[in-house]
Amino acid sequence: MTMPGYIVPAARRGSILGGEELAALAELIDSGEILSQGRHRQLFEQRFRDRIGSRYAFSVTSGTVALELATHLLGLSRGDEVVVTPQTYRAMAQPLLDLDVNVRFCDVDPDTLNMDPEALRSMISERTRAVIVVHYGGAPADMREIVRIAHDHGSLVLEDCAHALGASYHGEHPGALADIGCFSFHSLKNITTLGEGGMITFARDDWAERLNQIRSNRVDGSVRPSWEYSLPGGSLLPWMRDADDVYTSDYLRILRAGTNATLSEPAAVVGSVQLDRLDELVKRRRMIAASLDEVIGLSSAARPQSLSVDTEHACHLYTFMVADGAEARERLVRSLDRQGVQIELRYFPLHLLPEWRWRGHGPGECPVAERSWFGAQVNLPCYPGLSDAQVEHMTQALATALAETAGALTSR
Protein backbone atom coordinates (compact mmCIF):
# COMPACT_ATOMS: atom_id res chain seq x y z
CA MET A 1 0.00 0.00 0.00
CA THR A 2 3.03 2.32 0.23
CA MET A 3 4.96 4.15 -2.47
CA PRO A 4 8.71 4.78 -2.13
CA GLY A 5 9.41 8.36 -1.09
CA TYR A 6 5.91 9.17 0.17
CA ILE A 7 4.74 8.93 3.75
CA VAL A 8 1.15 9.30 2.56
CA PRO A 9 0.90 7.77 -0.93
CA ALA A 10 -2.04 8.07 -3.31
CA ALA A 11 -4.37 5.08 -3.17
CA ARG A 12 -3.51 1.87 -4.97
CA ARG A 13 -6.49 0.14 -3.38
CA GLY A 14 -9.67 1.91 -2.36
CA SER A 15 -10.90 -0.85 -0.10
CA ILE A 16 -9.47 -3.35 2.38
CA LEU A 17 -9.39 -7.08 1.63
CA GLY A 18 -8.69 -9.54 4.40
CA GLY A 19 -9.65 -12.71 6.23
CA GLU A 20 -13.39 -12.53 5.55
CA GLU A 21 -12.88 -12.33 1.80
CA LEU A 22 -10.27 -15.12 1.86
CA ALA A 23 -12.59 -17.36 3.88
CA ALA A 24 -15.47 -16.77 1.46
CA LEU A 25 -13.23 -17.59 -1.52
CA ALA A 26 -11.90 -20.75 0.14
CA GLU A 27 -15.44 -21.93 0.90
CA LEU A 28 -16.48 -21.37 -2.72
CA ILE A 29 -13.48 -23.23 -4.13
CA ASP A 30 -13.86 -26.14 -1.72
CA SER A 31 -17.58 -26.43 -2.53
CA GLY A 32 -16.98 -27.56 -6.11
CA GLU A 33 -19.71 -25.18 -7.31
CA ILE A 34 -19.63 -23.65 -10.77
CA LEU A 35 -17.47 -20.52 -10.95
CA SER A 36 -19.55 -18.65 -13.54
CA GLN A 37 -23.23 -17.69 -13.69
CA GLY A 38 -24.07 -19.34 -10.40
CA ARG A 39 -26.03 -18.53 -7.29
CA HIS A 40 -23.46 -16.17 -5.78
CA ARG A 41 -23.83 -13.69 -8.62
CA GLN A 42 -27.60 -13.74 -8.14
CA LEU A 43 -27.20 -13.27 -4.39
CA PHE A 44 -24.82 -10.34 -4.84
CA GLU A 45 -27.25 -8.68 -7.26
CA GLN A 46 -30.18 -9.22 -4.91
CA ARG A 47 -28.32 -7.78 -1.93
CA PHE A 48 -27.09 -4.84 -4.01
CA ARG A 49 -30.54 -3.84 -5.21
CA ASP A 50 -31.84 -4.14 -1.64
CA ARG A 51 -29.06 -1.83 -0.51
CA ILE A 52 -29.60 0.72 -3.28
CA GLY A 53 -33.38 0.52 -3.46
CA SER A 54 -33.58 -0.29 -7.16
CA ARG A 55 -35.89 -2.83 -8.78
CA TYR A 56 -33.13 -4.44 -10.83
CA ALA A 57 -29.37 -4.80 -10.43
CA PHE A 58 -27.28 -6.54 -13.09
CA SER A 59 -23.61 -7.23 -12.41
CA VAL A 60 -21.04 -7.01 -15.22
CA THR A 61 -17.30 -7.28 -15.59
CA SER A 62 -16.36 -3.61 -15.07
CA GLY A 63 -17.73 -0.12 -14.57
CA THR A 64 -16.75 0.71 -18.14
CA VAL A 65 -18.82 -2.20 -19.46
CA ALA A 66 -21.70 -1.06 -17.25
CA LEU A 67 -21.60 2.37 -18.89
CA GLU A 68 -21.32 0.85 -22.37
CA LEU A 69 -24.36 -1.40 -21.92
CA ALA A 70 -26.37 1.28 -20.12
CA THR A 71 -25.70 3.72 -22.95
CA HIS A 72 -27.09 1.15 -25.36
CA LEU A 73 -30.28 0.86 -23.30
CA LEU A 74 -30.84 4.61 -23.70
CA GLY A 75 -31.84 3.89 -27.30
CA LEU A 76 -29.86 6.70 -28.92
CA SER A 77 -30.31 7.30 -32.64
CA ARG A 78 -28.42 9.26 -35.25
CA GLY A 79 -28.67 12.99 -34.61
CA ASP A 80 -29.79 12.67 -30.99
CA GLU A 81 -28.26 15.04 -28.47
CA VAL A 82 -26.63 13.85 -25.22
CA VAL A 83 -25.59 16.21 -22.43
CA VAL A 84 -22.70 15.06 -20.22
CA THR A 85 -20.46 16.47 -17.51
CA PRO A 86 -16.77 17.17 -18.21
CA GLN A 87 -15.64 16.49 -14.61
CA THR A 88 -15.01 12.74 -14.51
CA TYR A 89 -13.01 9.83 -15.91
CA ARG A 90 -13.04 9.34 -19.69
CA ALA A 91 -14.97 6.02 -19.54
CA MET A 92 -18.21 7.87 -18.77
CA ALA A 93 -18.50 9.41 -22.24
CA GLN A 94 -16.42 6.88 -24.16
CA PRO A 95 -19.35 4.79 -25.49
CA LEU A 96 -20.70 7.92 -27.20
CA LEU A 97 -17.66 8.07 -29.47
CA ASP A 98 -19.01 5.08 -31.40
CA LEU A 99 -22.40 6.71 -31.96
CA ASP A 100 -23.44 9.37 -34.46
CA VAL A 101 -24.85 11.63 -31.75
CA ASN A 102 -24.29 15.25 -30.79
CA VAL A 103 -22.48 15.35 -27.43
CA ARG A 104 -22.71 18.56 -25.41
CA PHE A 105 -20.63 19.17 -22.29
CA CYS A 106 -22.49 20.91 -19.48
CA ASP A 107 -20.41 22.99 -17.09
CA VAL A 108 -20.14 22.24 -13.38
CA ASP A 109 -20.98 24.07 -10.17
CA PRO A 110 -17.72 25.61 -8.82
CA ASP A 111 -18.38 24.39 -5.27
CA THR A 112 -19.67 20.83 -5.79
CA LEU A 113 -17.92 20.09 -9.14
CA ASN A 114 -21.12 18.31 -10.19
CA MET A 115 -23.27 19.21 -13.19
CA ASP A 116 -24.77 22.67 -12.68
CA PRO A 117 -28.59 22.43 -13.05
CA GLU A 118 -28.79 26.03 -14.26
CA ALA A 119 -26.20 25.37 -16.95
CA LEU A 120 -28.19 22.27 -17.95
CA ARG A 121 -31.40 24.29 -18.11
CA SER A 122 -29.80 26.77 -20.50
CA MET A 123 -28.52 24.15 -22.95
CA ILE A 124 -31.05 21.29 -22.95
CA SER A 125 -33.41 21.17 -25.93
CA GLU A 126 -36.14 19.04 -27.45
CA ARG A 127 -33.40 17.21 -29.36
CA THR A 128 -31.79 16.07 -26.09
CA ARG A 129 -32.36 12.36 -25.66
CA ALA A 130 -30.23 11.73 -22.56
CA VAL A 131 -28.35 13.44 -19.75
CA ILE A 132 -25.40 11.65 -18.13
CA VAL A 133 -24.49 12.81 -14.62
CA VAL A 134 -21.58 11.94 -12.31
CA HIS A 135 -21.58 12.20 -8.52
CA TYR A 136 -18.07 13.64 -8.43
CA GLY A 137 -15.88 12.15 -5.73
CA GLY A 138 -18.93 10.64 -4.03
CA ALA A 139 -20.81 13.92 -3.50
CA PRO A 140 -24.36 13.43 -4.88
CA ALA A 141 -25.37 15.81 -7.66
CA ASP A 142 -28.56 17.87 -7.38
CA MET A 143 -30.62 15.05 -8.83
CA ARG A 144 -34.10 16.44 -8.14
CA GLU A 145 -33.42 19.46 -10.31
CA ILE A 146 -31.45 17.59 -12.96
CA VAL A 147 -34.07 14.85 -13.34
CA ARG A 148 -36.90 17.40 -13.38
CA ILE A 149 -35.23 19.44 -16.12
CA ALA A 150 -34.40 16.35 -18.19
CA HIS A 151 -37.81 14.71 -17.88
CA ASP A 152 -39.56 17.98 -18.75
CA HIS A 153 -37.72 17.75 -22.10
CA GLY A 154 -38.41 14.05 -22.59
CA SER A 155 -34.81 13.05 -21.78
CA LEU A 156 -33.60 10.02 -19.86
CA VAL A 157 -31.04 10.44 -17.07
CA LEU A 158 -28.11 8.09 -16.51
CA GLU A 159 -26.23 8.56 -13.23
CA ASP A 160 -22.62 7.41 -13.10
CA CYS A 161 -22.31 6.23 -9.48
CA ALA A 162 -18.73 4.94 -9.69
CA HIS A 163 -17.72 7.23 -6.81
CA ALA A 164 -21.00 7.25 -4.91
CA LEU A 165 -21.53 3.85 -3.29
CA GLY A 166 -22.23 4.69 0.36
CA ALA A 167 -23.59 8.18 -0.36
CA SER A 168 -27.18 9.32 0.19
CA TYR A 169 -29.41 12.03 -1.24
CA HIS A 170 -32.56 13.08 0.66
CA GLY A 171 -32.63 9.64 2.28
CA GLU A 172 -32.22 7.75 -1.01
CA HIS A 173 -29.17 6.23 -2.66
CA PRO A 174 -27.40 7.02 -5.93
CA GLY A 175 -28.32 4.33 -8.43
CA ALA A 176 -32.02 4.78 -7.68
CA LEU A 177 -32.27 8.53 -8.29
CA ALA A 178 -32.69 8.53 -12.07
CA ASP A 179 -33.66 6.24 -14.96
CA ILE A 180 -30.51 4.13 -14.85
CA GLY A 181 -27.40 3.91 -12.69
CA CYS A 182 -23.90 2.50 -13.18
CA PHE A 183 -21.39 1.43 -10.52
CA SER A 184 -17.74 0.42 -10.60
CA PHE A 185 -16.01 -2.08 -8.33
CA HIS A 186 -12.53 -1.27 -9.63
CA SER A 187 -9.68 -1.76 -7.18
CA LEU A 188 -9.73 1.97 -6.33
CA LYS A 189 -13.45 2.18 -5.56
CA ASN A 190 -15.26 2.08 -2.20
CA ILE A 191 -15.74 -1.68 -2.54
CA THR A 192 -14.10 -4.04 -5.02
CA THR A 193 -14.86 -7.37 -6.66
CA LEU A 194 -11.25 -8.50 -6.95
CA GLY A 195 -10.04 -5.53 -8.98
CA GLU A 196 -12.75 -5.14 -11.63
CA GLY A 197 -16.54 -5.32 -11.74
CA GLY A 198 -19.62 -3.21 -12.27
CA MET A 199 -23.36 -3.00 -11.70
CA ILE A 200 -26.28 -1.53 -13.65
CA THR A 201 -29.44 -0.52 -11.75
CA PHE A 202 -32.88 0.54 -13.02
CA ALA A 203 -36.61 -0.20 -12.71
CA ARG A 204 -37.77 -1.04 -16.26
CA ASP A 205 -38.87 -4.59 -17.09
CA ASP A 206 -38.05 -4.26 -20.79
CA TRP A 207 -34.50 -3.16 -20.02
CA ALA A 208 -34.07 -6.13 -17.69
CA GLU A 209 -34.96 -8.61 -20.43
CA ARG A 210 -32.69 -6.92 -22.97
CA LEU A 211 -29.72 -6.50 -20.65
CA ASN A 212 -29.85 -10.10 -19.52
CA GLN A 213 -29.66 -11.13 -23.19
CA ILE A 214 -26.75 -8.83 -24.05
CA ARG A 215 -24.47 -9.73 -21.14
CA SER A 216 -24.98 -13.47 -21.77
CA ASN A 217 -23.71 -13.67 -25.36
CA ARG A 218 -27.17 -13.27 -26.89
CA VAL A 219 -28.34 -10.68 -29.39
CA ASP A 220 -30.49 -7.67 -28.50
CA GLY A 221 -33.11 -7.51 -31.21
CA SER A 222 -36.79 -7.67 -32.02
CA VAL A 223 -37.91 -11.28 -32.50
CA ARG A 224 -40.73 -13.04 -34.32
CA PRO A 225 -41.65 -16.78 -34.14
CA SER A 226 -40.28 -18.95 -36.90
CA TRP A 227 -41.77 -22.38 -36.35
CA GLU A 228 -41.69 -23.08 -40.07
CA TYR A 229 -37.88 -23.02 -40.14
CA SER A 230 -36.58 -26.10 -41.97
CA LEU A 231 -33.97 -27.94 -39.89
CA PRO A 232 -31.01 -29.19 -41.95
CA GLY A 233 -30.65 -32.36 -39.88
CA GLY A 234 -34.28 -33.22 -39.27
CA SER A 235 -35.83 -33.25 -35.80
CA LEU A 236 -34.06 -31.89 -32.75
CA LEU A 237 -33.09 -34.34 -30.06
CA PRO A 238 -33.68 -33.57 -26.34
CA TRP A 239 -29.99 -33.22 -25.56
CA MET A 240 -29.45 -30.47 -28.16
CA ARG A 241 -29.08 -27.52 -25.79
CA ASP A 242 -30.46 -24.05 -26.60
CA ALA A 243 -32.56 -25.56 -29.39
CA ASP A 244 -35.53 -23.25 -28.89
CA ASP A 245 -33.38 -20.10 -28.96
CA VAL A 246 -31.54 -21.19 -32.08
CA TYR A 247 -34.29 -22.64 -34.24
CA THR A 248 -37.71 -21.36 -33.22
CA SER A 249 -37.37 -17.63 -33.84
CA ASP A 250 -36.01 -15.10 -36.33
CA TYR A 251 -34.73 -11.58 -35.78
CA LEU A 252 -36.63 -8.80 -37.46
CA ARG A 253 -33.95 -6.34 -36.39
CA ILE A 254 -30.67 -6.62 -34.50
CA LEU A 255 -29.98 -3.68 -32.18
CA ARG A 256 -26.71 -4.88 -30.69
CA ALA A 257 -24.53 -7.95 -30.66
CA GLY A 258 -24.25 -9.64 -27.30
CA THR A 259 -21.09 -10.10 -25.28
CA ASN A 260 -19.83 -12.05 -22.30
CA ALA A 261 -20.02 -9.54 -19.44
CA THR A 262 -20.55 -12.14 -16.72
CA LEU A 263 -19.19 -11.29 -13.30
CA SER A 264 -17.46 -14.43 -12.01
CA GLU A 265 -18.60 -16.27 -8.90
CA PRO A 266 -15.36 -15.55 -6.98
CA ALA A 267 -15.79 -11.84 -7.75
CA ALA A 268 -19.44 -11.95 -6.64
CA VAL A 269 -18.54 -13.73 -3.39
CA VAL A 270 -15.99 -11.05 -2.57
CA GLY A 271 -18.50 -8.37 -3.58
CA SER A 272 -21.03 -9.67 -1.06
CA VAL A 273 -18.46 -9.59 1.76
CA GLN A 274 -17.37 -6.11 0.73
CA LEU A 275 -20.99 -4.95 0.69
CA ASP A 276 -21.28 -6.13 4.31
CA ARG A 277 -18.24 -3.98 5.13
CA LEU A 278 -19.31 -0.91 3.15
CA ASP A 279 -20.52 1.12 6.13
CA GLU A 280 -17.29 0.66 8.07
CA LEU A 281 -15.16 1.43 4.99
CA VAL A 282 -17.10 4.63 4.22
CA LYS A 283 -17.03 5.61 7.91
CA ARG A 284 -13.23 5.48 7.79
CA ARG A 285 -13.19 7.61 4.65
CA ARG A 286 -15.48 10.17 6.29
CA MET A 287 -13.28 10.31 9.38
CA ILE A 288 -10.25 11.12 7.23
CA ALA A 289 -12.24 13.73 5.29
CA ALA A 290 -13.48 15.35 8.53
CA SER A 291 -9.89 15.70 9.77
CA LEU A 292 -8.90 17.43 6.53
CA ASP A 293 -12.03 19.63 6.56
CA GLU A 294 -11.11 20.83 10.04
CA VAL A 295 -7.68 21.97 8.87
CA ILE A 296 -9.03 23.70 5.76
CA GLY A 297 -11.76 25.40 7.81
CA LEU A 298 -9.07 27.30 9.74
CA SER A 299 -7.46 28.73 6.59
CA SER A 300 -8.42 31.52 4.21
CA ALA A 301 -6.29 29.98 1.48
CA ALA A 302 -8.69 27.13 0.53
CA ARG A 303 -12.25 25.82 0.73
CA PRO A 304 -13.52 22.22 0.65
CA GLN A 305 -15.87 20.71 -1.92
CA SER A 306 -19.40 21.51 -0.77
CA LEU A 307 -22.49 19.30 -0.63
CA SER A 308 -26.07 19.78 -1.74
CA VAL A 309 -28.68 20.02 1.01
CA ASP A 310 -29.61 16.78 2.84
CA THR A 311 -26.85 14.66 1.30
CA GLU A 312 -24.10 12.42 2.65
CA HIS A 313 -20.72 12.18 0.93
CA ALA A 314 -19.24 8.74 0.10
CA CYS A 315 -15.76 10.33 0.27
CA HIS A 316 -14.34 8.33 -2.63
CA LEU A 317 -12.18 11.40 -3.36
CA TYR A 318 -11.23 14.22 -1.03
CA THR A 319 -11.25 17.48 -2.98
CA PHE A 320 -10.66 21.10 -2.04
CA MET A 321 -10.10 24.32 -3.95
CA VAL A 322 -7.20 26.76 -3.48
CA ALA A 323 -8.50 30.31 -3.28
CA ASP A 324 -6.04 32.35 -5.31
CA GLY A 325 -5.43 30.54 -8.56
CA ALA A 326 -2.83 28.37 -10.23
CA GLU A 327 0.28 29.96 -8.71
CA ALA A 328 -1.02 29.52 -5.16
CA ARG A 329 -2.09 25.94 -5.91
CA GLU A 330 1.34 25.13 -7.33
CA ARG A 331 2.99 26.45 -4.17
CA LEU A 332 0.66 24.43 -1.93
CA VAL A 333 1.02 21.18 -3.88
CA ARG A 334 4.82 21.47 -3.94
CA SER A 335 4.81 21.97 -0.17
CA LEU A 336 2.68 18.84 0.32
CA ASP A 337 4.92 16.86 -1.99
CA ARG A 338 8.06 17.91 -0.08
CA GLN A 339 6.38 16.75 3.11
CA GLY A 340 5.69 13.30 1.71
CA VAL A 341 2.03 13.61 0.65
CA GLN A 342 1.44 12.34 -2.88
CA ILE A 343 -1.03 14.32 -5.02
CA GLU A 344 -2.93 12.95 -8.04
CA LEU A 345 -5.32 15.43 -9.69
CA ARG A 346 -8.60 13.96 -10.96
CA TYR A 347 -9.86 14.39 -13.63
CA PHE A 348 -8.66 16.19 -16.76
CA PRO A 349 -11.71 17.90 -18.36
CA LEU A 350 -13.22 15.44 -20.83
CA HIS A 351 -13.96 17.99 -23.55
CA LEU A 352 -10.23 18.77 -23.79
CA LEU A 353 -9.13 15.16 -24.32
CA PRO A 354 -7.88 14.40 -27.85
CA GLU A 355 -10.79 12.12 -28.74
CA TRP A 356 -13.26 14.91 -27.99
CA ARG A 357 -11.17 17.67 -29.57
CA TRP A 358 -11.28 15.46 -32.67
CA ARG A 359 -15.08 15.70 -32.43
CA GLY A 360 -14.93 19.51 -32.40
CA HIS A 361 -14.79 20.32 -28.69
CA GLY A 362 -12.20 22.56 -27.08
CA PRO A 363 -11.19 25.26 -24.59
CA GLY A 364 -13.82 27.71 -23.39
CA GLU A 365 -16.65 25.20 -23.62
CA CYS A 366 -16.84 24.61 -19.85
CA PRO A 367 -15.07 27.58 -18.24
CA VAL A 368 -15.88 26.70 -14.65
CA ALA A 369 -14.52 23.15 -14.98
CA GLU A 370 -11.45 24.49 -16.77
CA ARG A 371 -10.70 27.15 -14.13
CA SER A 372 -11.13 24.57 -11.38
CA TRP A 373 -8.89 21.92 -12.90
CA PHE A 374 -6.12 24.23 -14.13
CA GLY A 375 -6.13 26.69 -11.26
CA ALA A 376 -7.86 25.58 -8.06
CA GLN A 377 -8.62 21.90 -7.52
CA VAL A 378 -6.55 19.57 -5.29
CA ASN A 379 -7.20 15.92 -4.40
CA LEU A 380 -5.68 14.46 -1.22
CA PRO A 381 -5.29 10.74 -0.39
CA CYS A 382 -8.47 9.48 1.30
CA TYR A 383 -8.90 5.71 1.59
CA PRO A 384 -9.43 3.19 4.41
CA GLY A 385 -5.92 1.74 4.17
CA LEU A 386 -4.36 4.90 5.60
CA SER A 387 -3.16 4.47 9.17
CA ASP A 388 -3.93 6.95 11.95
CA ALA A 389 -0.28 8.02 11.85
CA GLN A 390 -0.48 8.71 8.11
CA VAL A 391 -3.69 10.73 8.55
CA GLU A 392 -2.08 12.77 11.32
CA HIS A 393 0.99 13.41 9.18
CA MET A 394 -1.20 14.51 6.24
CA THR A 395 -3.25 16.93 8.35
CA GLN A 396 -0.09 18.50 9.77
CA ALA A 397 1.44 18.74 6.29
CA LEU A 398 -1.75 20.35 4.98
CA ALA A 399 -1.77 22.90 7.80
CA THR A 400 1.85 23.79 7.03
CA ALA A 401 1.20 24.06 3.28
CA LEU A 402 -1.88 26.24 3.79
CA ALA A 403 0.01 28.53 6.19
CA GLU A 404 2.86 28.91 3.67
CA THR A 405 0.38 29.66 0.90
CA ALA A 406 -1.57 32.21 2.95
CA GLY A 407 1.69 33.83 4.04
CA ALA A 408 2.88 34.17 0.47
CA LEU A 409 -0.42 35.79 -0.52
CA THR A 410 -0.28 38.25 2.38
CA SER A 411 3.27 39.31 1.55
CA ARG A 412 2.40 40.35 -1.98
Side-chain angles (χ1 to χ4, degrees):
M1 294 291 289
T2 60
M3 292 285 289
Y6 286 103
I7 300 169
V8 186
R12 290 298 174 265
R13 290 185 185 178
S15 184
I16 297 174
L17 296 166
E20 295 173 75
E21 288 83 2
L22 287 172
L25 284 170
E27 182 179 350
L28 171 64
I29 293 169
D30 289 343
S31 71
E33 292 183 62
I34 191 170
L35 297 181
S36 179
Q37 300 188 48
R39 66 183 181 91
H40 295 286
R41 183 188 68 170
Q42 296 174 356
L43 178 61
F44 180 42
E45 292 172 348
Q46 176 187 334
R47 297 187 63 231
F48 196 88
R49 63 178 179 262
D50 290 344
R51 171 86 193 205
I52 297 303
S54 62
R55 184 172 183 181
Y56 293 105
F58 284 85
S59 61
V60 291
T61 47
S62 72
T64 298
V65 170
L67 288 162
E68 179 187 350
L69 299 185
T71 299
H72 169 70
L73 293 179
L74 294 176
L76 301 173
S77 300
R78 182 176 183 179
D80 284 342
E81 184 175 273
V82 183
V83 178
V84 303
T85 178
Q87 184 69 36
T88 187
Y89 183 55
R90 69 201 311 159
M92 184 274 292
Q94 207 157 273
L96 300 173
L97 287 167
D98 290 331
L99 303 176
D100 189 9
V101 295
N102 179 25
V103 176
R104 302 189 68 190
F105 288 92
C106 178
D107 215 345
V108 300
D109 179 277
D111 298 317
T112 68
L113 300 182
N114 284 319
M115 182 179 285
D116 183 350
E118 291 307 311
L120 174 63
R121 195 187 309 276
S122 69
M123 71 188 311
I124 198 169
S125 72
E126 299 306 318
R127 297 186 302 276
T128 306
R129 182 75 175 88
V131 176
I132 304 180
V133 183
V134 171
H135 305 294
Y136 176 77
D142 189 354
M143 293 303 293
R144 287 183 176 176
E145 274 302 297
I146 290 170
V147 171
R148 182 182 299 116
I149 293 166
H151 285 182
D152 284 349
H153 288 80
S155 299
L156 296 169
V157 179
L158 188 161
E159 49 175 334
D160 182 340
C161 309
H163 300 173
L165 187 58
S168 69
Y169 176 86
H170 295 278
E172 299 182 293
H173 298 287
L177 303 175
D179 297 292
I180 189 166
C182 292
F183 292 83
S184 170
F185 307 132
H186 182 274
S187 183
L188 289 176
K189 298 304 189 291
N190 287 18
I191 69 169
T192 185
T193 50
L194 293 179
E196 292 285 1
M199 192 77 76
I200 308 172
T201 56
F202 50 82
R204 285 176 49 168
D205 295 340
D206 59 329
W207 281 355
E209 183 178 351
R210 292 172 58 194
L211 185 57
N212 197 42
Q213 291 281 102
I214 298 170
R215 71 168 180 173
S216 304
N217 268 327
R218 308 291 178 94
V219 170
D220 180 18
S222 53
V223 179
R224 67 178 176 187
S226 180
W227 297 102
E228 74 281 0
Y229 190 87
S230 177
L231 301 179
S235 300
L236 292 173
L237 298 175
W239 48 266
M240 292 180 174
R241 296 184 60 186
D242 299 323
D244 287 344
D245 291 333
V246 175
Y247 291 115
T248 62
S249 63
D250 280 341
Y251 283 108
L252 292 169
R253 182 186 178 201
I254 293 178
L255 301 174
R256 190 192 191 282
T259 186
N260 183 3
T262 303
L263 189 70
S264 72
E265 291 292 278
V269 163
V270 170
S272 288
V273 175
Q274 288 271 287
L275 202 56
D276 285 337
R277 302 180 63 189
L278 175 62
D279 289 338
E280 70 174 83
L281 294 169
V282 173
K283 182 179 180 181
R284 177 66 178 173
R285 287 176 174 274
R286 287 175 178 158
M287 188 217 75
I288 297 169
S291 298
L292 297 170
D293 279 345
E294 186 175 350
V295 175
I296 289 176
L298 298 174
S299 174
S300 61
R303 56 185 171 82
Q305 179 191 20
S306 65
L307 282 171
S308 302
V309 176
D310 197 15
T311 61
E312 288 187 302
H313 205 309
C315 296
H316 171 65
L317 300 177
Y318 183 84
T319 306
F320 70 95
M321 273 63 76
V322 178
D324 201 47
E327 183 180 341
R329 183 182 68 171
E330 181 73 10
R331 185 180 296 108
L332 184 142
V333 168
R334 286 187 179 276
S335 175
L336 288 168
D337 190 79
R338 283 196 304 271
Q339 296 178 78
V341 179
Q342 186 178 17
I343 305 298
E344 291 184 351
L345 185 57
R346 298 182 180 171
Y347 296 94
F348 191 82
L350 290 186
H351 64 292
L352 301 181
L353 291 173
E355 59 264 36
W356 290 106
R357 296 201 310 272
W358 178 76
R359 292 276 290 255
H361 300 275
E365 196 167 338
C366 296
V368 176
E370 292 168 29
R371 283 196 301 269
S372 176
W373 200 88
F374 288 103
Q377 184 180 329
V378 180
N379 298 115
L380 289 174
C382 184
Y383 54 95
L386 289 175
S387 68
D388 289 346
Q390 286 174 308
V391 174
E392 183 178 359
H393 178 86
M394 179 165 54
T395 56
Q396 292 175 349
L398 178 59
T400 299
L402 288 169
E404 292 173 357
T405 302
L409 294 177
T410 304
S411 64
R412 283 184 177 180

